Amino acid sequence: MSARPIATTRSSAGLATGKLAVWWVIVSEIVIFGGLLASYIMYRLAHDAFAEQAAHTNMWIGAFNTLVLLSSSLTAVLAHQAAEAGDGRKAARLIWATIGGAFTFLIVKAFEWTMEIQHGFTITSSTFWSFYYTAAGLHALHVLAGAIIMMFVASAAAKNLELHRVELIGVYWHFVDVVWIFLFPLLYIAK
Amino acid sequence: MFHLIERYVPSASTYSGDIDFVFSLVFWIVGAWFLATEAVFFWLILRFRKRDGVKAQYITGELESEKQWVHWPHMAVLVFDIILLFFAIKVWYYVKQDLPPAQETVRVVAQQWAWSFVHPGPDALLDTADDIKTVEELHVKVGTLYHFKLESRDVVHSFSVPVFRLKQDVIPGRVITGWFEATQTGRFDIQCAEICGIGHALMPARIVIETPDQHAAWMASQSPISLAALGLPRAAQE
Amino acid sequence: MAHPAETPPGHPAAHPHEEPGWIRKYLFATDHKIIAMQYMFTGMALALLAGFFAYVFRMQMAFPGIEVPLFGLVTPNRYNVLITNHGAIMVFWVAMPVLLAAFGNFLIPLMIGCDDMVFPRINRLSYQIFFLSAVVLLASFFVDGGAFAGAWTFYPPLSAKAEYSLTPWGSSLFVLAIALEFVAFLLGGINFITTSMNSRAPGMKLYDLPIVVWMIVVASILFMASVGPLIAGAVMLFFDQQIGTAFFDPDRGGDPILWQHLFWFFGHPEVYVVLLPALGIVAEIITVFSRKKLFAYKTVLYTVFGTGVLSFTVWAHHQFVAGIDPRMANIFTITTLLISVPIAEMCFVYIATLYGGSITLTTPMLWALAFLAEFLIGGVTGIFLGASGADIYLHDTYFVLAHFHYTFVPIAIIGTFAGVTFWFPKMFGRMMNETVGKVHFWITIVAFNVIFIPLFITGIAGDHRRIYDYSHYPDLAGLQDLRVLATVALVVMLLAQVLFLWNFCYSLFRGKPAEKNPWRANTLEWTAESPPPHGNWPAEALPTVYRGPYEYSHPDRKEDYWPQNAPA
């Protein structure tokens, strides 16, 4: 029963099924993050104390991480180009570079949070910090999940297999990037 | 015709009749629609039962002449909705948005699992030394416009006085103000209308609506200080 | 299920394939039909449990303080646990799995003429997560402090702090169970949308899809677009419960009303998520048994899209007196009353479909017609509640409860019976007993009305919700007879379900063998064997479509039906 159903070979609406599926996942995630961030914004507008707390986030670390994610999105795009050209090994290398970006992001975040916790800013310190850790934490989980999936895609791509998945994981990765593009100003810049 | 709720629950506030009116108006309008629709529905089932030799008709519903049958009822529903909205919003505004000036104010405190009330006492001012605090009984004067200030000590509760047709959730962390004016005397139920834990059903209270004399007598019975205060002129309202 | 030995489709012809063992075939199934059955049986089993809860708590209300047979004494806490979980189970573990997942999984590939869903392993995963969510919910009954008891809406601070709810573990397991259930349905939705959009039979245009397929697809989209904020809220609530954050704690800057908005933003579209599949099932049945084309298919479709969009604009009608800004209430009363317009249109279109028909009152048709008659009551009583001025009085009374049972019971119970009695021959290859089916129908419907009409009256007369014993309220003393009447009717209704269970189980093994198309219907599932084998049709014989699904009683044809796959 590991054979794919005939259903997967059809394309009645002319869409790529894999892409439709990934977009479905992304839209559901957008609603989840949207709900969380909308709640954050409502709180922010209602409580001036938020701005005081937000002053303690480190904008430079946040900016560095933003750069890391943007670069990793670039390598993801290049990986897609390589896959389109049929060069699985090149695509795999570029995906590994993206994975490298993901782990850099996570390691920097680990240091950042350790520093903040040592300064006494924990998840229960105030509602701002509760949102900060929850939103950034949920995002970080998605970064990690994306990195793990990319490892599978990369190992298949290196053997020139399942090259269409390179584009799909790329789409997911851009979404992860875009969420961060929203988080960064809300958590780090707006003070 | 327009006092349907009153058949079951006395109407004891200046706005209970208005709320009953909205309810009753909805009842007659949707009732008529409901009966008409069900009648058509059952008639069609009977009229078009399978009969030997009679084939069903091929109707797409895409022709204008066919769509009319659905289109006009659908427009009519819209018209009736707008009528109902007019009255619903009017009453809502009167009860919930508008806050007429208070003649007296009471504080209503909800907690797991009891209602307590703070009455202003003979000086008619809240938060003064002669305030009368009670548990489970709210005493008010008929014909006086009260503001109530709702507070919760713990979870979300809801202040419900069926004879006033009044209901307002009580949220911890804030004070919610509303108003009522009683139109008849008597003793009636107060209920909690938001599940608040294991004792949700065990926090009944009573509203005691009294004439000014009865109310004064009650105040006198509550504390020795007020006996003397009875003789004093009423302080000016702030 | 019969599985004729043959080369499974999707494989090149000469490639022998071992039949999987019982465990792989049934417990780790990827076949959409078996996954559908898994969802259906789980949902039906939990319906029995939630129905039992209703019996227990209604017995307590009718005869306060008695030892309820088969249960015991109903203390205030046990009562709250029962009503909380009755509601949660019925919405999330009965209506959703049966209407959306079971019928969606069973029907979609068959109705569009393909062999399975596009992602069978994701499909399997969705059931496994769903099953886990049910286990987590049931586990909450056995932990220290017991199951959560603060209503299915789990408002904080009651739900956030153990010192208020007295259920430290139960509260968190409840949140976890619901979060898992949401993930399961998000995954399931992937298959519904991709398969129905992309895997249709050759020749099947979008307007040739049976309306139930559209309904399930739109329902999945509504679910997906509305559940996100609640998932975020559930994470926040879980953190409040377990870590000590203060998202909803007013003592530390949090806001309990935020939870209500997050909950109801999902909660309102959710009712349409379960309504739409039921409406779809009803459409399939009334077209077949009145031998008539669905009236104004495109109008139905656009109305459904419109209702879906509007459903996102009405949520705060659940919060009129909750402490929101009173000015906001005006917006929501307008949107709420306006949404009655497309719903009324749907009802009128379905009723118009009966005009000029040739109607046979089989058991499925009785259920489908009963859906319309009863849902109409639910719909019109919603107007009372949507009118903000009236809702001040009616909020949290039994009027609300009677209203939503007149929508939910038609959706989840009547809709399910309609679908099961209609597709049973296809699912199991046997016919159900018509006589038993009709007796079951009449007793259930009459009893259902006798339960809830008295509750409209007790609600108007002042009975509030979630009260285990009304004897503390002197003004309500006169209503006890009505409460007893409703309870007796409930017991009758529950006992009548024995008839259905008997009919279902007996017919499964001893029912008359079913032909491919016992109802002489047009849609593609009726061209497959009863029951369809793995792959639904032989790989070389997947259907091609030449027309829409409702070409009944066409004037150019001698037969009064015209299957979609019959060449012109």
Side-chain angles (χ1 to χ4, degrees), chain C residues 93-112:
Chain C
W93 284 278
V94 176
M96 297 272 296
V98 174
L99 289 169
L100 201 56
F103 284 111
N105 268 302
F106 187 80
L107 293 174
I108 292 180
L110 282 168
M111 283 180 148
I112 66 173

Side-chain angles (χ1 to χ4, degrees), chain A residues 1-40 42-43 47 50 123-127 129-135 138 165, chain C residues 9-11 17 20 24-25 30 112-120 186 189-190 193-195 197-202 220-221 224-229 231-232 235-236 239 243-248 252-255 258 262 534 539 542-543:
Chain A
M1 268 194 253
S2 54
R4 291 210 189 125
I6 293 175
T8 52
T9 60
R10 292 179 172 171
S11 188
S12 327
L15 305 163
T17 341
K19 248 205 248 191
L20 194 52
V22 171
W23 275 105
W24 175 271
V25 171
I26 286 174
V27 175
S28 21
E29 298 273 22
I30 288 176
V31 194
I32 298 175
F33 277 101
L36 190 57
L37 292 181
S39 305
Y40 170 76
M42 305 255 312
Y43 265 100
H47 295 93
F50 260 49
I123 194 172
T124 52
S125 298
S126 78
T127 324
W129 289 101
S130 303
F131 271 109
Y132 173 84
Y133 286 107
T134 305
L138 206 57
R165 288 185 180 170
Chain C
H11 281 72
H17 190 0
R24 272 203 70 199
K25 187 156 121 178
T30 53
I112 66 173
C114 75
D115 57 334
D116 205 324
M117 292 287 191
V118 173
F119 301 110
L186 282 175
I190 296 177
I193 192 137
T194 51
T195 309
M197 286 299 110
N198 244 5
S199 304
R200 283 169 277 137
S220 304
I221 296 174
M224 182 269 280
S226 64
V227 84
I231 293 181
V235 171
M236 288 153 67
F239 282 174
I243 306 182
T245 48
F247 291 109
F248 306 114
R252 292 187 289 146
D255 185 0
L258 175 67
L262 294 172
H534 182 58
L542 288 172

Side-chain angles (χ1 to χ4, degrees), chain B residues 4-5 8-9 19-20 22-24 26-28 30-31 33-34 37-38 40-46 48-51 54-62 66-67 69-71 73-74 77-78 80-82 84-85 87-89 91-93 95-97 112-113 153-156 158 160-174 176 187-206, chain C residues 76-77 80 83 149-151 155-158 163-164 166 250 255-257 260 290-299 320-323 326-327 329-330 333-334 337-338 340-342 344-345 348-349 351-352 354-361 369 372-374 376-377 380 383-384 387-397 399 457 460-462 464-469 472-476 550-555 557-560:
Chain B
L4 293 173
I5 303 181
Y8 298 99
V9 183
I19 293 176
D20 283 4
V22 175
F23 179 91
S24 307
V26 175
F27 179 86
W28 292 116
V30 308
W33 272 97
F34 171 72
T37 312
E38 296 276 8
V40 169
F41 174 72
F42 284 114
W43 176 77
L44 287 174
I45 297 174
L46 289 170
F48 292 105
R49 285 286 286 274
K50 177 175 163 166
R51 266 173 281 218
V54 179
K55 203 171 166 187
Q57 297 172 33
Y58 185 77
I59 298 172
T60 63
E62 306 286 355
E66 294 163 350
K67 280 197 188 169
W69 288 100
V70 169
H71 179 72
H74 162 227
V77 168
L78 182 59
F80 282 107
D81 274 347
I82 293 174
L84 291 174
L85 276 173
F87 288 102
I89 293 180
V91 172
W92 173 266
Y93 181 87
V95 179
K96 289 286 182 181
Q97 262 179 261
Q112 288 182 320
W113 288 284
R153 293 217 172 107
D154 35 47
V155 300
V156 177
S158 186
S160 171
V161 187
V163 296
F164 288 171
R165 311 291 184 268
L166 171 66
K167 193 168 288 127
Q168 177 57 54
D169 280 12
V170 188
I171 312 291
R174 52 173 100 170
I176 297 179
R187 304 176 78 95
F188 305 102
D189 282 342
I190 292 173
Q191 299 195 46
C192 176
E194 183 58 49
I195 190 166
C196 53
I198 197 174
H200 170 60
L202 295 165
M203 47 188 289
R206 297 286 271 174
Chain C
N77 184 55
N80 289 351
I83 52 147
Y155 286 1
L158 180 65
E163 69 201 75
Y164 294 146
L166 309 178
D255 185 0
I257 308 240
Q260 296 184 22
S290 57
R291 313 312 283 169
K292 272 209 68 212
K293 198 167 157 117
L294 182 67
F295 191 94
Y297 177 103
K298 287 195 184 156
T299 304
F320 281 141
V321 296
R327 292 168 295 183
N330 297 315
T333 192
I334 293 171
L337 287 208
L338 288 183
S340 69
V341 175
E345 175 134 24
F348 296 150
V349 163
I351 292 173
L354 296 173
Y355 181 87
S358 174
I359 298 172
T360 35
L361 296 176
L369 292 172
L372 288 173
E374 304 285 12
L376 206 51
I377 299 180
V380 301
I383 307 276
F384 290 89
S388 50
D391 188 67
I392 300 173
Y393 178 68
L394 295 171
H395 173 73
D396 197 70
T397 63
F399 192 93
I457 300 175
I460 295 170
H464 281 47
R465 294 175 66 179
R466 301 157 176 168
I467 303 284
Y468 84 110
D469 182 349
H472 304 280
Y473 300 95
D475 294 355
L476 302 176
Y550 302 116
E551 298 304 305
Y552 293 102
S553 305
H554 197 278
R557 294 258 302 172
K558 187 166 141 302
E559 295 268 9
D560 68 351

Side-chain angles (χ1 to χ4, degrees), chain C residues 389-424:
Chain C
D391 188 67
I392 300 173
Y393 178 68
L394 295 171
H395 173 73
D396 197 70
T397 63
Y398 262 74
F399 192 93
V400 177
L401 189 131
H403 155 73
F404 70 68
H405 280 87
Y406 264 101
T407 51
F408 262 109
V409 170
I411 289 170
I413 310 289
I414 297 179
T416 297
F417 286 142
V420 170
T421 53
F422 184 59
W423 277 294
F424 189 96

